[in-house]
Amino acid sequence: MKLDAIDRQILQILMQDANTSYVDVAKQIHVSAGTIHVRMKNLKRLGVVEGAQLTINHSLLGLDMVAFLGIYLERSSMYPEVLLKIQKIPEVVNVHYTTGPYTMFAQVICKDSQDLYDILHNQIQEIKGVQRTESFISLSESIRRPIQILGEEE
C-alpha cells in the first residue's frame, strides 16, 4: 500500500491534533473538505487509521505513578496465556513482546508505590508462567509525539 503526499499530510496534521476538523485540514493542504472525508474513510478501511485517542493528564486523576516492567517468563511460549491474564489488569496500559532479557515489557499507570506493589506482588507475579519482574519508575515523561511521516519533498 502506498500513501501519496496528501494522505501523509492529512495523517500528520491529525496525529498532531485529532480534533482538527476536516475543513481546517483541507484549508491547510489546499484541497476540499470532501477530499479529506473520502481519504480518511479510505485510510480507515485500509487499516492505516485504527481510531483516535484522548490524551489525559493522569496526575489530575490521582494516578501519579508510571512504571515500566520487564517481565521474565518461564518459557517464551507461555506469552499468549500470560498476556490474556495481564490484559485483565486495568492499570497495565500497554505490553510489548520483546527480544532481549525480558519476554514482555509493560507500562503500568497507578496511584502510588503501594498501588504498584499490589499490582506487582498480588497480580502480575501471581500469574502462572511469570518467573520474575524488574520495575522502572518514570520520574518524568520528557517526549511524547507522533512519528514524523512526511518526507522532505512533502
Side-chain angles (χ1 to χ4, degrees):
M1 164 181 17
K2 185 147 173 66
L3 303 181
D4 67 12
I6 292 173
D7 291 329
R8 290 181 181 276
Q9 288 174 321
I10 293 167
L11 292 172
Q12 194 68 54
I13 292 166
L14 291 173
M15 285 190 313
Q16 293 296 325
D17 182 0
N19 287 323
T20 306
S21 72
Y22 287 178
V23 171
D24 288 338
V25 173
K27 286 177 185 174
Q28 289 181 51
I29 60 176
H30 309 293
V31 297
S32 73
T35 297
I36 304 301
H37 178 76
V38 168
R39 285 180 177 249
M40 281 300 295
K41 191 173 182 177
N42 190 44
L43 290 168
K44 288 175 184 176
R45 182 183 56 77
L46 292 171
V48 174
V49 175
E50 295 180 341
Q53 291 185 328
L54 182 65
T55 303
I56 62 167
N57 183 329
H58 295 104
S59 291
L60 293 177
L61 298 175
L63 302 168
D64 292 322
M65 174 79 61
V66 176
F68 297 91
L69 310 177
I71 303 171
Y72 294 86
L73 299 183
E74 291 171 13
R75 294 182 321 277
S76 61
S77 62
M78 299 179 87
Y79 176 80
E81 61 195 74
V82 172
L83 180 62
L84 287 173
K85 292 186 173 121
I86 287 179
Q87 285 175 328
K88 295 177 182 174
I89 303 169
E91 295 87 354
V92 176
V93 295
N94 68 51
V95 175
H96 295 264
Y97 183 53
T98 61
T99 63
Y102 316 114
T103 309
M104 305 171 88
F105 201 73
Q107 182 180 5
V108 173
I109 299 176
C110 57
K111 292 182 278 200
D112 53 29
S113 59
Q114 184 60 46
D115 198 22
L116 178 60
Y117 174 83
D118 178 63
I119 293 162
L120 284 171
H121 184 73
N122 298 322
Q123 296 181 63
I124 293 175
Q125 292 172 350
E126 290 296 314
I127 297 171
K128 183 178 183 247
V130 172
Q131 188 176 42
R132 66 185 178 97
T133 61
E134 286 187 28
S135 304
F136 307 89
I137 295 173
S138 173
L139 301 176
S140 171
E141 181 178 296
S142 303
I143 297 173
R144 179 191 296 195
R145 62 179 172 218
I147 190 76
Q148 182 68 266
I149 61 169
L150 291 176
E152 290 182 25
E153 70 282 353
E154 298 169 301

